[in-house]
Amino acid sequence: MLSHAEENYLKAIYHLSQADKSDVSTNAIAEVLQTKPASVSDMIKKLSDKGFIHYQKYKGVNVSQKGRKEALQIIRKHRLWEVFLVDKLQFKWDEVHEIAEQLEHIKSSILTQKLDKFLGYPRIDPHGDPIPDERGEIVLGKKSPLSEILEGKKVLVTGVDDSDSEFLTHLDKINIALGTKIVVKEKNSFDGSMQIELPSQKLIFISKQVADNLLVTE
């Protein structure tokens, strides 16, 4: 059984390896977890001895098949709890990450199964990230930044590329959330800003930064 700290390291290594599609450096892990490289080295040895990661000196680290399976179950619990907090307890989507970080360490697989069933077997979390199923499989739908969508197209907001709380709060203020239908009315070639139409038929302008970080499906 892994400790909370070991689970956090394993999850971080998995996420970093998925982002870069390569082995992960000690410094990259230390930066994400805000700790010292020496502490990372000690944890790498522990996880390697338990068979959760592969490590080659000077080449970096990556999860083993056993580690990948474990990391995906931690991520599954985290994202299911985020759905519960937003859908059932009415937390805002920018408030749930830190709470889910605590809840993801609950060990009971029966609780996770019942939570999944209670929520109606959701496929994505409140930020649009896919939820691994019980077998650790992920079904990824095609998402594109809103900034890449052509004028006149109607799209559905299915995720965000930046889950920073300030960005999510801004989206709440302009009435954009997961599942919001948007029509691209006009794109400004000068600065990349866009005019979009919301379901209320209200027209608003958004910056290129917002459009780059909103993920949508046509």
Side-chain angles (χ1 to χ4, degrees):
M1 186 174 290
L2 293 172
S3 68
H4 289 192
E6 288 171 331
E7 289 186 343
N8 288 336
Y9 270 84
L10 191 59
K11 187 177 67 167
I13 293 167
Y14 173 81
H15 279 313
L16 287 167
S17 67
Q18 291 299 297
D20 295 335
K21 302 298 181 185
S22 62
D23 290 344
V24 180
S25 71
T26 299
N27 287 338
I29 300 169
E31 183 177 351
V32 167
L33 295 177
Q34 299 182 332
T35 189
K36 297 178 181 178
S39 299
V40 175
S41 297
D42 290 341
M43 184 60 77
I44 284 174
K45 185 178 186 309
K46 289 181 183 179
L47 291 172
S48 180
D49 289 345
K50 292 182 178 183
F52 288 102
I53 61 172
H54 299 304
Y55 172 67
Q56 286 184 291
K57 198 171 183 180
Y58 306 120
K59 288 189 176 180
V61 61
N62 213 324
V63 292
S64 63
Q65 186 61 32
K66 177 182 177 181
R68 181 181 183 276
K69 181 179 178 181
E70 188 69 25
L72 284 167
Q73 289 306 310
I74 299 166
I75 292 166
R76 168 176 162 78
K77 287 185 286 184
H78 181 103
R79 294 178 178 172
L80 283 172
W81 281 117
E82 286 196 336
V83 174
F84 174 79
L85 291 166
V86 171
D87 287 2
K88 304 303 180 183
L89 299 186
Q90 284 74 56
F91 279 86
K92 293 182 179 179
W93 62 346
D94 61 311
E95 297 176 327
V96 296
H97 180 73
E98 294 300 324
I99 303 171
E101 285 280 302
Q102 300 171 49
L103 293 169
E104 71 185 26
H105 297 295
I106 295 173
K107 304 298 183 184
S108 173
S109 59
I110 295 176
L111 175 60
T112 305
Q113 292 168 8
K114 287 184 176 293
L115 178 63
D116 192 20
K117 182 179 179 181
F118 175 69
L119 295 172
Y121 305 103
R123 301 288 293 276
I124 60 172
D125 73 7
H127 307 108
D129 293 318
I131 299 173
D133 65 17
E134 199 169 353
R135 298 181 300 278
E137 295 178 2
I138 295 177
V139 179
L140 292 172
K142 179 172 172 50
K143 299 177 184 177
S144 303
L146 180 60
S147 55
E148 295 180 2
I149 303 301
L150 299 176
E151 288 183 5
K153 292 286 188 179
K154 179 183 251 185
V155 295
L156 184 72
V157 177
T158 52
V160 290
D161 199 37
D162 180 359
S163 57
D164 178 79
S165 61
E166 288 187 7
F167 178 60
L168 298 180
T169 299
H170 175 68
L171 293 182
D172 283 337
K173 286 180 179 178
I174 60 176
N175 296 315
I176 293 178
L178 290 187
T180 299
K181 294 177 181 178
I182 288 173
V183 180
V184 178
K185 304 298 286 187
E186 183 181 341
K187 298 180 72 172
N188 190 326
S189 59
F190 173 70
D191 62 3
S193 62
M194 305 175 74
Q195 184 189 54
I196 60 173
E197 182 181 308
L198 299 177
S200 63
Q201 298 187 322
K202 180 181 179 181
L203 296 176
I204 63 170
F205 281 94
I206 59 172
S207 68
K208 184 178 186 301
Q209 183 180 3
V210 170
D212 283 341
N213 284 300
L214 266 180
L215 302 178
V216 298
T217 302
E218 291 192 49

